[in-house]
Amino acid sequence: MSGPAVGVIGLGPMGAPVAGHLARAGFPLQVWNRTRARADAFGDRAVAHPEELRAEIVLSALPDIDHFDAVAPDPVVRRWAEHGTTHVVVLSTTSREKVRVLAERLGRSGVTLVDAPMSGGDAGARAGTLSLMVGASPEAYGLVETVLRSFATTVEHMGPPGAGTVAKLCNQVIVAATLVSVAEALDLARRAGLQGEQLVRVLQGGLAAGAVLDAKATKILHREYSLGGSAANQVKDLRYAAELADELGAGLPQTRRTGVLFEEVLDAGLGGADHAAVYEVISRATCAPVPRTDREG
């Protein structure tokens, strides 16, 4: 297929598969990555510096907007604009305030920001089955939609810039709390002498079934935490969710308690591990039995 020229910056566990899908879909493509070897895997599509990108739409798969700011300061953005860049799409999870600030900065060079954070993890990125929550004007969404659908099966226009980010933070609230629940259940089962694999099978057949259980139970059972999504990124996302809750007057009590557990994962030196490593914090915890308070009525 033909379409707009696309650039991808950041070729990590999410960005590299995204770029691969774009290439297979036939979009004119250029890529950049700080570690050049990852970009070299894309052959002559690789550029040596971000300012060398020549693309109508630039996708940032960097961990956060701070990383984008570091590699694409104003002189780089102006160079992009001079060579035809009209839109930058941020695929990472960030804060609504950072989206606002970046939109203003890009706008001064005539470039429009779209926030389209990804959900589905590295497995979804490889399979091209990501869910994207998009914040954009109707005009911008119409221009980038075809590009986004080349690597995602669910693409929802949530509202203006920033709306996609809010939706993703809601996603992360659910993911983090569910992951803690899975870890707690498997720890409880282990202590009671149940077989973890058997428990997971029966849970997958009932109301407890879900994507988090499917994706993370094996990691927990084998205590093997190779990356899907890192614990450090989970903490970042929960902090952003709490900041948004403070701004909007939402309590978010469970999320704040969940955040404390993930902060302990970082304190244990596991920030670079998959966020399923929260099991290591949970499985070490012990508590005194809660006294019975049965009352005769």
Side-chain angles (χ1 to χ4, degrees), residues 5-7 55-60 68 80-81 84-90 106 110-114 136-144:
V6 181
E56 184 177 350
I57 300 170
V58 174
L59 306 183
S60 172
F68 176 85
W80 289 349
T85 298
T86 60
H87 292 76
V88 166
V89 181
V90 173
L106 296 177
V111 176
T112 298
L113 176 67
V114 173
S137 69
E139 296 77 15
Y141 179 72
L143 191 144
V144 304

Side-chain angles (χ1 to χ4, degrees), residues 204-296:
Q204 288 172 328
L207 193 58
V212 174
L213 181 66
D214 291 346
K216 303 300 178 178
T218 299
K219 288 181 177 293
I220 291 172
L221 291 173
H222 295 283
R223 300 176 72 176
E224 190 283 310
Y225 305 118
S226 58
L227 278 180
S230 74
N233 279 338
Q234 185 72 81
V235 169
K236 166 184 70 74
D237 299 347
L238 292 175
R239 288 172 180 169
Y240 286 149
E243 289 173 6
L244 182 63
D246 290 342
E247 177 187 336
L248 300 176
L252 237 60
Q254 178 170 278
T255 299
R256 295 180 197 275
R257 290 191 290 269
T258 298
V260 171
L261 287 171
F262 279 101
E263 295 278 2
E264 292 182 27
V265 178
L266 266 61
D267 293 342
L270 295 170
D274 188 89
H275 52 173
V278 72
Y279 176 79
E280 297 302 312
V281 170
I282 289 168
S283 64
R284 293 171 191 165
T286 59
C287 65
V290 177
R292 290 190 61 178
T293 57
D294 296 344
R295 298 177 181 176
E296 293 183 4

Side-chain angles (χ1 to χ4, degrees), residues 15-246:
V18 164
H21 289 298
L22 288 163
R24 286 187 289 275
F27 289 100
L29 177 69
Q30 290 186 316
V31 301
W32 174 84
N33 192 71
R34 188 183 300 275
T35 304
R36 180 59 192 258
R38 292 184 180 178
D40 286 343
F42 289 85
D44 60 5
R45 295 185 174 96
V47 300
H49 191 277
E51 70 179 16
E52 298 175 13
L53 288 175
R54 300 291 180 263
E56 184 177 350
I57 300 170
V58 174
L59 306 183
S60 172
L62 297 166
D64 201 348
I65 282 177
D66 308 73
H67 304 83
F68 176 85
D69 289 341
V71 303
D74 287 344
V76 171
V77 174
R78 286 195 293 269
R79 180 69 62 86
W80 289 349
E82 289 169 1
H83 291 278
T85 298
T86 60
H87 292 76
V88 166
V89 181
V90 173
L91 299 173
S92 54
T93 308
T94 187
S95 73
R96 186 166 67 170
E97 176 63 13
K98 287 183 178 181
V99 169
R100 182 191 66 78
V101 172
L102 180 58
E104 291 181 357
R105 181 168 79 84
L106 296 177
R108 291 194 291 269
S109 297
V111 176
T112 298
L113 176 67
V114 173
D115 58 307
M118 304 176 281
S119 181
D122 59 323
R126 292 192 298 271
T129 58
L130 292 170
S131 176
L132 302 183
M133 304 149 222
V134 186
S137 69
E139 296 77 15
Y141 179 72
L143 191 144
V144 304
E145 182 182 7
T146 302
V147 172
L148 300 181
R149 290 193 182 278
S150 70
F151 57 87
T153 53
T154 301
V155 181
E156 287 286 339
H157 184 200
M158 305 303 297
T165 290
V166 173
K168 180 60 188 295
L169 293 179
C170 294
N171 179 89
Q172 296 304 81
V173 163
I174 294 171
V175 168
T178 304
L179 183 51
V180 167
S181 295
V182 170
E184 288 186 347
L186 294 179
D187 179 55
L188 184 63
R190 176 184 62 82
R191 293 172 188 263
L194 298 185
Q195 292 186 2
E197 289 83 358
Q198 185 180 34
L199 177 65
V200 169
R201 285 198 300 273
V202 75
L203 294 179
Q204 288 172 328
L207 193 58
V212 174
L213 181 66
D214 291 346
K216 303 300 178 178
T218 299
K219 288 181 177 293
I220 291 172
L221 291 173
H222 295 283
R223 300 176 72 176
E224 190 283 310
Y225 305 118
S226 58
L227 278 180
S230 74
N233 279 338
Q234 185 72 81
V235 169
K236 166 184 70 74
D237 299 347
L238 292 175
R239 288 172 180 169
Y240 286 149
E243 289 173 6
L244 182 63
D246 290 342

